[in-house]
Amino acid sequence: MEKFVVSARKYRPVTFSTVVGQPSITNTLKNAIRNNHLAQAFLFTGPRGVGKTTTARILAKTINCQNISEEVEACNVCETCQAFNEGHSLNIYELDAASNNSVDDIRALVDQVRYAPQMGKYKVYIIDEVHMLSTNAFNAFLKTLEEPPSYAIFILATTERHKIIPTILSRCQIFDFNRISVDNIVKNLQHVADSEGITADADGLHIIAQKSDGALRDSLSIFDQLVSFAGNNLTYKDVIENLNILDYDYYFRITDDLLAGNIPNVLITFNEILNNGFDGHNFINGLATHFRDLLVCRDTVTLPLLEVSPTVKEKYKVQALACSGEWLLVQLELAGKADYQYRSAKNQRLHIELTLMKMCTAIAGSSAEAGKKKSEQRVLTSTAAAITSGTTATIPPIAAKVVEETSIVSPINNLIASAALSSQEQKPVSEEAPKINATPSRPVLPTFKKTVSLSAKLNVGFNKKEEIKSGEETLPDLSTSFDQSSLENIWNDYASKLEKAGRMSLSSAMKKRKPIIDSISQLIFTVDSAAIEKDMNDEKSELLAFLRKSLLNYQITLSLLVSSEDLSSEDPYTPSEKFKKLAEINPAMNELKKHFDLDIEY
């Protein structure tokens, strides 16, 4: 029975022309050989499985060939080529630095360098995984690497260039090997399949190429594994089943359901994916990649970035037409957030399901729609400014549409927009269009004839339950008048509220003096000291909110004045004032203060 040789070894490149995916490097090396410009040391660096060691062997074989062709390739006929092919060439030494990384190993290598080649021009030393050498071994190698004999050439190979000391790097010509593209890997796999008499689907080969992550050796290992599983007829289904990869169709189906907002179908499909043994984390990452590919398909400039088979590429093009760029960006953001939070989620399935529900309801408006909404919002803002400033203005027609499409947050904007809607829907009492005639302090809104539900129409948070049953009604004024008695009752209610909260000092100060109505929306409150003024300023925002809601006047302002009267006969407020009052009644308090060294200022 013939011994099986893995494809990675059986189809290993033996000439520069058969090296896959590294044309710039092979052309540079061929020109150096042709022009006799070979350096004494080379460093081949790059990811695994991209041809570093293979290229080093081809270079060593070619420079020792006795009959180099015009294309600068080894002849494979001469004595040195035959010795290399049979594996007993005395001119090429390979050292695995991972297991020979000590100073003694490098010294043994340096001792061999002193002997000239018996056959051929050069002695070539290939040191693989050179980053594994110890620092002392690197230092022992420096002198020989910098000034080797004329017949000695060193080729160092590594996947981790950053671990090599700078003094070594400075003595080498550095060649960076790139990851091999998906198309190049697919072509190589197809060549191997044809050579072995294996029928393979193009879609399946693309999946293998993507799974190998740019490493040709990995792709050939996966290919051998799949051939052992499926035999000489390798299908797309065999590939995704053996490699445990989600089918593209799942992502296309879910995207169609997301566009339709069909939450039940999305959840059922996700449940099917989990039942097939796939991980939710891999699924959400694959969905994000699918959205990325759809985004790539929207522009012909970025279309080459899509590394899939031609059949799948056509599916992407069709589905990309149904997705807007804004929608895809929103979905990518949601998928990225789900990926980031997946590990910390307690219920990971629910976490993905919630993300899918959000994706179903995600709507990203176009830039034109966003501009339209901004324009409508500016009209609404200008209308509100006209009303609150007291100028004569007519509510523009577009405001009626804004109230239907825009979410209004503040009570004032709700009132303006509702009035605008009514002005467009209802015919006013007068023949002319209703106008807003108001003074700066009391703006008045127009009167309408039709019966309306006040709480439903205004929605301003007044908690009104009554409805206007008949007759003409006027919408409530934003600056409703109130008398001194009503003000004092509400003022005392707030003071009692502070007292229950344990804020006795501020409550006493509010009960001691009463606010004065300076105008319909202006209150003045006089305090006894700067300390009380500070406390009142800290409480001012909550106090104003309470007064405005209770008095139905959202324009109330409060000004604080510090009293200039002699307050010696008034009740003490601060701790210092209380101590001073006690000291006047009982002078022994001063002695007590001195005895205990109390820090009381008065």
Side-chain angles (χ1 to χ4, degrees), residues 212-503:
S212 63
D213 194 25
L216 186 62
R217 182 174 60 238
D218 290 5
S219 68
L220 291 171
S221 298
I222 295 173
F223 178 80
D224 288 343
Q225 175 185 339
L226 292 173
V227 170
S228 299
F229 170 76
N232 291 337
N233 187 16
L234 185 61
T235 64
Y236 172 75
K237 183 178 179 181
D238 293 331
V239 173
I240 62 174
E241 181 180 348
N242 189 267
L243 297 182
N244 198 33
I245 294 175
L246 267 175
D247 190 357
Y248 286 117
D249 288 340
Y250 280 115
Y251 295 125
F252 284 115
R253 282 166 50 193
I254 283 185
T255 303
D256 288 337
D257 290 332
L258 292 179
L259 288 167
N262 195 333
I263 294 178
N265 277 3
V266 170
L267 296 181
I268 290 173
T269 305
F270 178 58
N271 181 67
E272 181 183 344
I273 290 170
L274 294 179
N275 289 339
N276 288 337
F278 294 101
D279 180 61
H281 200 185
N282 291 336
F283 161 74
I284 200 66
N285 284 331
L287 188 59
T289 303
H290 182 75
F291 292 140
R292 175 261 183 193
D293 291 341
L294 287 173
L295 196 61
V296 163
C297 282
R298 289 179 52 80
D299 197 323
T300 55
V301 177
T302 56
L303 195 57
L305 298 177
L306 189 61
E307 297 178 334
V308 295
S309 66
T311 305
V312 178
K313 186 176 292 187
E314 291 302 319
K315 292 183 180 180
Y316 271 107
K317 288 180 181 179
V318 172
Q319 193 171 72
L321 296 176
C323 306
S324 68
E326 293 86 351
W327 186 82
L328 289 172
L329 289 174
V330 170
Q331 304 295 32
L332 280 169
E333 183 179 359
L334 289 172
K337 187 179 295 184
D339 175 33
Y340 177 75
Q341 297 173 348
Y342 185 85
R343 294 297 182 191
S344 60
K346 297 293 184 182
N347 190 336
Q348 295 177 335
R349 172 172 181 158
L350 179 61
H351 176 66
I352 299 299
E353 289 177 338
L354 286 174
T355 301
L356 292 173
M357 294 179 196
K358 291 178 183 179
M359 288 178 174
C360 280
T361 57
I363 299 176
S366 64
S367 56
E369 292 174 350
K372 181 181 177 182
K373 290 182 179 180
K374 288 181 181 180
S375 176
E376 292 172 349
Q377 187 63 36
R378 284 196 296 270
V379 172
L380 185 61
T381 305
S382 63
T383 304
I387 292 176
T388 55
S389 64
T391 59
T392 300
T394 301
I395 299 176
I398 194 174
K401 186 177 180 181
V402 174
V403 76
E404 297 176 353
E405 298 180 354
T406 309
S407 175
I408 310 298
V409 178
S410 69
I412 295 178
N413 281 350
N414 264 326
L415 187 60
I416 296 167
S418 301
L421 180 61
S422 298
S423 68
Q424 300 303 316
E425 294 177 349
Q426 317 301 334
K427 183 178 179 180
V429 176
S430 62
E431 295 181 357
E432 298 179 351
K435 295 185 178 181
I436 303 168
N437 298 318
T439 61
S441 59
R442 299 196 61 174
V444 180
L445 293 176
T447 302
F448 303 104
K449 188 173 183 180
K450 186 176 179 181
T451 301
V452 294
S453 172
L454 185 60
S455 60
K457 198 69 176 175
L458 299 180
N459 190 25
V460 293
F462 296 141
N463 298 322
K464 296 282 187 179
K465 296 183 179 179
E466 307 85 29
E467 293 187 359
I468 303 173
K469 297 181 179 179
S470 61
E472 297 181 0
E473 296 294 342
T474 304
L475 296 176
D477 199 339
L478 292 178
S479 54
T480 307
S481 61
F482 51 88
D483 55 19
Q484 182 69 27
S485 176
S486 302
L487 174 62
E488 291 181 2
N489 289 336
I490 295 172
W491 186 270
N492 289 332
D493 289 343
Y494 193 84
S496 300
K497 179 183 175 182
L498 291 177
E499 184 177 356
K500 291 179 182 179
R503 304 181 65 180

Side-chain angles (χ1 to χ4, degrees), residues 578-589:
K578 292 177 182 178
F579 182 84
K580 183 178 180 181
K581 192 77 173 179
L582 290 174
E584 291 176 355
I585 298 173
N586 187 357
M589 292 294 295

Side-chain angles (χ1 to χ4, degrees), residues 28-40 42 122 173:
T28 302
L29 293 176
K30 287 165 70 174
N31 289 334
I33 296 171
R34 181 183 292 112
N35 300 324
N36 197 23
H37 283 173
L38 285 173
Q40 82 274 5
F42 298 90
Y122 300 98
Q173 281 189 3

Side-chain angles (χ1 to χ4, degrees), residues 12 53 56-57 84 92-96 100 124-128:
R12 191 168 196 166
T53 306
R57 290 178 178 178
F84 177 84
I92 301 173
Y93 297 87
E94 289 194 37
L95 178 69
D96 177 22
N100 301 277
V124 182
Y125 298 88
I126 301 174
I127 305 177
D128 205 2

Side-chain angles (χ1 to χ4, degrees), residues 20-320:
V20 180
Q22 310 294 343
S24 61
I25 294 176
T26 55
N27 289 336
T28 302
L29 293 176
K30 287 165 70 174
N31 289 334
I33 296 171
R34 181 183 292 112
N35 300 324
N36 197 23
H37 283 173
L38 285 173
Q40 82 274 5
F42 298 90
L43 176 63
F44 293 168
T45 178
R48 70 184 190 282
V50 294
K52 300 183 296 296
T53 306
T54 297
T55 305
R57 290 178 178 178
I58 294 173
L59 175 61
K61 175 183 175 181
T62 304
I63 61 179
N64 277 313
C65 179
Q66 299 172 359
N67 301 305
I68 298 178
S69 66
E70 295 181 359
E71 292 79 17
V72 194
E73 298 285 5
C75 66
N76 284 321
V77 177
C78 66
E79 188 177 0
T80 55
C81 287
Q82 289 291 335
F84 177 84
N85 293 337
E86 295 171 5
H88 55 74
S89 173
L90 298 178
N91 294 340
I92 301 173
Y93 297 87
E94 289 194 37
L95 178 69
D96 177 22
S99 55
N100 301 277
N101 54 11
S102 66
V103 175
D104 292 337
D105 295 320
I106 295 299
R107 285 175 179 169
L109 179 67
V110 171
D111 289 340
Q112 294 180 13
V113 173
R114 293 182 297 175
Y115 301 102
Q118 298 177 354
M119 180 174 56
K121 299 179 182 178
Y122 300 98
K123 292 185 71 173
V124 182
Y125 298 88
I126 301 174
I127 305 177
D128 205 2
E129 303 298 336
V130 69
H131 65 274
M132 299 293 288
L133 291 178
S134 65
T135 303
N136 292 334
F138 272 129
N139 291 331
F141 190 36
L142 280 176
K143 185 63 176 177
T144 303
L145 189 66
E146 183 177 11
E147 297 179 359
S150 59
Y151 50 80
I153 292 180
F154 297 96
I155 305 176
L156 316 180
T158 180
T159 56
E160 301 183 49
R161 170 182 168 179
H162 61 280
K163 291 186 178 180
I164 301 176
I165 61 177
T167 49
I168 293 290
L169 294 176
S170 64
R171 288 163 169 80
C172 301
Q173 281 189 3
I174 301 174
F175 291 85
D176 287 304
F177 284 68
N178 302 319
R179 293 185 183 276
I180 303 175
S181 68
V182 171
D183 290 339
N184 283 331
I185 293 179
V186 169
K187 291 177 182 177
N188 187 73
L189 290 175
Q190 190 63 60
H191 167 69
V192 173
D194 294 340
S195 301
E196 295 292 327
I198 297 172
T199 303
D201 284 350
D203 292 344
L205 295 181
H206 270 87
I207 293 294
I208 297 174
Q210 292 173 17
K211 188 74 173 178
S212 63
D213 194 25
L216 186 62
R217 182 174 60 238
D218 290 5
S219 68
L220 291 171
S221 298
I222 295 173
F223 178 80
D224 288 343
Q225 175 185 339
L226 292 173
V227 170
S228 299
F229 170 76
N232 291 337
N233 187 16
L234 185 61
T235 64
Y236 172 75
K237 183 178 179 181
D238 293 331
V239 173
I240 62 174
E241 181 180 348
N242 189 267
L243 297 182
N244 198 33
I245 294 175
L246 267 175
D247 190 357
Y248 286 117
D249 288 340
Y250 280 115
Y251 295 125
F252 284 115
R253 282 166 50 193
I254 283 185
T255 303
D256 288 337
D257 290 332
L258 292 179
L259 288 167
N262 195 333
I263 294 178
N265 277 3
V266 170
L267 296 181
I268 290 173
T269 305
F270 178 58
N271 181 67
E272 181 183 344
I273 290 170
L274 294 179
N275 289 339
N276 288 337
F278 294 101
D279 180 61
H281 200 185
N282 291 336
F283 161 74
I284 200 66
N285 284 331
L287 188 59
T289 303
H290 182 75
F291 292 140
R292 175 261 183 193
D293 291 341
L294 287 173
L295 196 61
V296 163
C297 282
R298 289 179 52 80
D299 197 323
T300 55
V301 177
T302 56
L303 195 57
L305 298 177
L306 189 61
E307 297 178 334
V308 295
S309 66
T311 305
V312 178
K313 186 176 292 187
E314 291 302 319
K315 292 183 180 180
Y316 271 107
K317 288 180 181 179
V318 172
Q319 193 171 72

